[in-house]
Amino acid sequence: MYALVGVSAELAEQLVAIEADGEDAVHQARTRVRRLRGILSVYKKAFDREAERRMRERLKGLGRRLGNVRELEVRAAGLRALADGQDVEPVRAAASALADRALEQHERALDDLLHLLRSRGHRELLADLQQFAADPPLSEPGRDAPKKIARKGLKKAVRRVRRSEGDTLEQRHATRKASRRLRYAAEAVGDDLGDRSLRLASAAETVQDALGDNRDLLLLARHLREAAPDGTLDAVAAACEARAAEALTGLDDALAVIEWG
């Protein structure tokens, strides 16, 4: 239950792929870290409290390093696409310069990540994670009533999505994170709780994707305005903001589907 063995194996595979320059490996590894942390968080009562907290904290550190590389990768790609789509030369040149800078930052961050992945501390984390997944340090309720913990965990995760709803960028980011956590937790117990949990995961994924697209575009627009205070890139930023608004179409309907009685 909780899919820990499968997800931890996928994480190890993607971390190896990063060292081999595998396509999209950083993103996939980051996703697995988030999935593991989400599962441990939602179903924390199934595990020994201290062991769960310690493993989740160690994974957080790895996820932070992966996230830094991934965010620069996304920024560089987004800026490059914007630059290539411009017809006005000053705008094209300004966006291209930002893309080059983001790519340089990404390469430095990736070098730092590779250094981490080759360290003794990282190898110890992977070994401990594999042991945790293969033989989880379960609490008494985790051994005796795993499905009860799963249902209660999902119910609480749904409430967390509801509590985080709002219209500011940070409120939407909180809703996105809560939806992502709910999605991963619901997917992890699909074999045990059936189609209902998988439908819940699908609804949470829809919300996560919409809010993710919205946030990425708004942050890109902010970066464009801050990087070109002379207004050279204001029109491009405005186009990003318009696309960000479009990404929220149907969000309220998607949120309404997220429920667990």
Side-chain angles (χ1 to χ4, degrees):
M1 197 169 184
Y2 308 126
L4 293 175
V5 172
V7 180
S8 61
E10 291 171 2
L11 172 60
E13 180 180 346
Q14 293 301 326
L15 291 171
V16 171
I18 292 173
E19 296 193 69
D21 196 26
E23 184 178 357
D24 203 36
V26 172
H27 172 55
Q28 295 302 326
R30 184 192 194 191
T31 296
R32 268 59 179 192
V33 169
R34 284 175 161 176
R35 189 179 292 273
L36 285 167
R37 294 190 71 242
I39 293 169
L40 293 176
S41 175
V42 172
Y43 304 127
K44 59 187 176 183
K45 290 189 176 180
F47 307 100
D48 173 80
R49 182 176 181 179
E50 182 57 26
E52 176 273 328
R53 184 202 62 78
R54 186 167 57 251
M55 178 55 66
R56 189 149 49 99
E57 192 64 25
R58 293 172 72 188
L59 287 169
K60 182 180 180 180
L62 174 59
R64 187 183 300 114
R65 299 290 287 275
L66 290 165
N68 185 39
V69 176
R70 174 58 179 170
E71 287 165 9
L72 288 168
E73 181 180 52
V74 169
R75 176 180 291 180
L79 288 168
R80 177 55 59 195
L82 285 174
D84 291 346
Q86 300 307 311
D87 296 325
V88 180
E89 183 54 34
V91 176
R92 183 186 185 92
S96 183
L98 291 179
D100 291 343
R101 188 183 310 162
L103 181 58
E104 291 174 0
Q105 292 172 333
H106 168 258
E107 290 174 348
R108 288 197 297 271
L110 180 57
D111 285 343
D112 289 343
L113 175 62
L114 289 171
H115 181 74
L116 171 69
L117 298 184
R118 292 162 184 156
S119 69
R120 178 179 177 179
H122 174 70
R123 292 194 297 271
E124 290 175 349
L125 168 59
L126 284 187
D128 291 346
L129 174 61
Q130 290 170 353
Q131 176 63 31
F132 188 105
D135 186 19
L138 297 175
S139 63
E140 184 175 341
R143 290 189 298 270
D144 297 342
K147 287 188 177 181
K148 183 177 180 180
I149 287 178
R151 293 188 185 98
K152 286 187 174 181
L154 289 178
K155 187 174 183 179
K156 188 173 182 179
V158 167
R159 289 201 302 268
R160 192 165 185 169
V161 173
R162 297 296 185 199
R163 286 200 305 270
S164 64
E165 289 182 36
D167 295 330
T168 69
L169 183 62
E170 289 312 309
Q171 285 173 326
R172 286 175 177 158
H173 186 44
T175 303
R176 180 196 181 194
K177 290 193 293 184
S179 298
R180 183 177 64 216
R181 184 183 299 109
L182 172 61
R183 169 197 169 187
Y184 293 157
E187 288 174 344
V189 295
D191 289 343
D192 301 282
L193 299 188
D195 290 344
R196 188 181 177 201
S197 66
L198 295 179
R199 287 194 298 270
L200 179 62
S202 179
E205 183 179 9
T206 298
V207 173
Q208 174 194 343
D209 288 347
L211 291 173
D213 290 344
N214 172 264
R215 180 176 177 81
D216 288 346
L217 287 163
L218 288 177
L219 291 179
L220 181 57
R222 178 187 293 177
H223 179 66
L224 290 168
R225 294 185 189 279
E226 291 176 348
D230 61 354
T232 304
L233 297 174
D234 280 1
V236 183
C240 290
E241 289 162 349
R243 289 167 54 203
E246 291 173 3
L248 297 180
T249 301
L251 177 62
D252 289 342
D253 291 338
L255 281 167
V257 178
I258 294 179
E259 57 181 14
W260 187 271

